[in-house]
Amino acid sequence: QVQLAESGGGSVQASGSLRLSCVVSGSTSSRNCIVWFRQPPGKAREGLAAIKSGGGGSYYADFVKGRFTISQDNAKRTVYLQMDNLKPEDTALYYCAARGTACNIGIWYSEYSIDTWGQGTQVTVSS
C-alpha cells in the first residue's frame, strides 16, 4: 500500500507561482513512478509531470513544459511540483498519484495507469 498526501494548493493571481508537495509513504514497489495530475472544473483529469521515485528521469506534458517543474527530496520522501507563470486556465484540483510500473513503460499520463491517488489540493488562479 502507498499513501500520498498533497499540500500547497491555494489562490494566486495570474503570473504567480505555487509549489505543491506530495509526501509519499508505504510500499516501495508500488510507487516506482510518481505523477502529478489535475482536473479542471467540468473537464477530464490530465497528466502533467512524472518522476522516477528515488531519482532518475522526469517527464512532462507538452502544455506545461517551461512552466512546471517536478522534483523530489528523497530524505523527506516528498515530490514537488513547482508551477510558475500560472494562468487562470491552470485552475483545477491537483492530484499526486503513484504507479508501480516505471514511468518509461506504458503511458504515464493516463489516469488508467495509476494505482494510488492522493486526495487532491485545489489551485485557483485569478486574472
Side-chain angles (χ1 to χ4, degrees):
Q1 290 286 347
V2 178
Q3 292 79 43
L4 305 167
E6 306 100 326
S7 62
S11 298
V12 64
Q13 290 192 327
S15 75
S17 298
L18 280 175
R19 188 178 78 163
L20 306 182
S21 299
C22 174
V23 177
V24 183
S25 59
S27 170
T28 304
S29 63
S30 300
R31 49 182 170 94
N32 286 317
C33 180
I34 305 299
V35 189
W36 282 101
F37 283 80
R38 71 183 180 188
Q39 187 165 20
K43 297 185 179 181
R45 201 171 294 188
E46 52 190 7
L48 305 174
I51 193 165
K52 181 180 184 297
S53 184
S58 56
Y59 307 79
Y60 293 93
D62 287 343
F63 58 88
V64 301
K65 284 181 180 178
R67 294 197 303 128
F68 292 8
T69 304
I70 192 169
S71 63
Q72 60 188 327
D73 183 330
N74 293 327
K76 296 182 178 179
R77 297 179 290 113
T78 302
V79 175
Y80 302 100
L81 185 68
Q82 176 68 40
M83 305 186 294
D84 298 317
N85 191 23
L86 284 163
K87 305 174 182 180
E89 52 264 42
D90 293 318
T91 294
L93 188 60
Y94 284 70
Y95 296 91
C96 177
R99 45 181 278 174
T101 308
C103 295
N104 62 347
I105 297 176
I107 305 174
W108 64 263
Y109 49 87
S110 169
E111 60 181 320
Y112 301 105
S113 74
I114 297 301
D115 299 309
T116 305
W117 294 93
Q119 80 284 359
T121 185
Q122 178 68 38
V123 172
T124 302
V125 184
S126 58
S127 57

